[in-house]
Amino acid sequence: MSTTVTASTDVDVPVRVAYNQWTQFESFPEFLGGVDSVEQIGDTLTHWTVSIAGVKREFDAEIGDQVPDDHVAWRSIGEVVHHGRVRFTPLSPDSTRIDLEIEWEPEGFVEQAGAALQLDDMQVKKDLARFKDFIEDRERSSGAWRGEIHGGETTSGTDPDLRI
C-alpha cells in the first residue's frame, strides 16, 4: 500500500532563488533528513543514498517534468517505488510558496509502522522547514539549472549567467 505525504511552506526569497536551489540536488543532504547523498548523473537522472530508521537504500530517480520557477516532478527507477512533485508559486516579488507531494511504497515492518504513525509526514514537514532556513539564511542559491524537461527529455539548456 502506497503512502502519500503533502507539505507546504512559504519562504522569504524570490521564486527564482527557491527554484534554483531546489535544482541543486547534491545539496539535499544539507536539509533533507535521511538523505546521505544525491549524485547528479545527467540532466534527468540522479542517484540517491538514504538511511531511514536504520534502513539504508540506494536508488536512481528520473526527472520526468521540470519547468523553471514552476515545478519539478520525479519518479524512482527500479525496485524502490518513489515519486513526487514540488511546485513553486510566487506570493510576492520576495516570497514563494513551496508545495511538495511525495508518494512511496513502504517496505518492511519499520517503514510500514513509520507510515502508519505518520512519522513520514512529520519528517517531510521538518525537511521543508530546514529548506526554508537553508535558503533564507543564504538569500541566494548555490547554483542553478534552468533547463526544461518534458516526458523525461531535456528541451532547453542552462542559463550560463546563473552558474555559481
Side-chain angles (χ1 to χ4, degrees):
M1 183 165 98
S2 67
T3 297
T4 301
V5 174
T6 59
S8 297
T9 193
D10 296 344
V11 295
D12 293 327
V13 297
V15 68
R16 188 175 187 100
V17 172
Y19 171 85
N20 285 350
Q21 186 60 54
W22 198 274
T23 65
Q24 301 307 294
F25 303 112
E26 292 182 355
S27 73
F28 279 12
E30 295 184 54
F31 50 84
L32 294 182
V35 175
D36 298 330
S37 67
V38 180
E39 180 184 354
Q40 182 86 39
I41 297 170
D43 289 348
T44 64
L45 189 62
T46 55
H47 180 78
W48 293 65
T49 303
V50 298
S51 298
I52 300 172
V55 178
K56 187 170 190 160
R57 292 222 175 132
E58 291 192 41
F59 63 93
D60 292 332
E62 179 181 45
I63 300 165
D65 197 55
Q66 180 171 337
V67 175
D69 303 336
D70 190 72
H71 68 272
V72 179
W74 67 91
R75 71 175 187 281
S76 62
I77 300 170
E79 294 178 18
V80 175
V81 177
H82 178 273
H83 58 92
R85 181 180 193 90
V86 61
R87 180 168 295 281
F88 303 87
T89 305
L91 300 175
S92 75
D94 294 317
S95 68
T96 305
R97 167 148 306 135
I98 300 172
D99 295 301
L100 179 61
E101 180 176 317
I102 302 172
E103 183 175 341
W104 70 91
E105 286 285 336
E107 294 181 10
F109 176 76
V110 172
E111 290 182 11
Q112 291 172 1
L117 295 170
Q118 297 183 329
L119 298 177
D120 304 326
D121 292 325
M122 290 187 288
Q123 182 64 52
V124 170
K125 288 175 182 161
K126 284 182 187 177
D127 289 346
L128 271 183
R130 280 195 295 271
F131 179 77
K132 175 182 173 65
D133 292 342
F134 179 85
I135 195 61
E136 287 179 355
D137 287 347
R138 298 178 65 88
E139 297 180 347
R140 65 186 187 104
S141 60
S142 62
W145 191 80
R146 303 294 296 178
E148 285 194 27
I149 299 170
H150 298 283
E153 298 292 322
T154 304
T155 60
S156 61
T158 61
D159 181 342
D161 294 331
L162 293 175
R163 289 288 176 196
I164 297 173

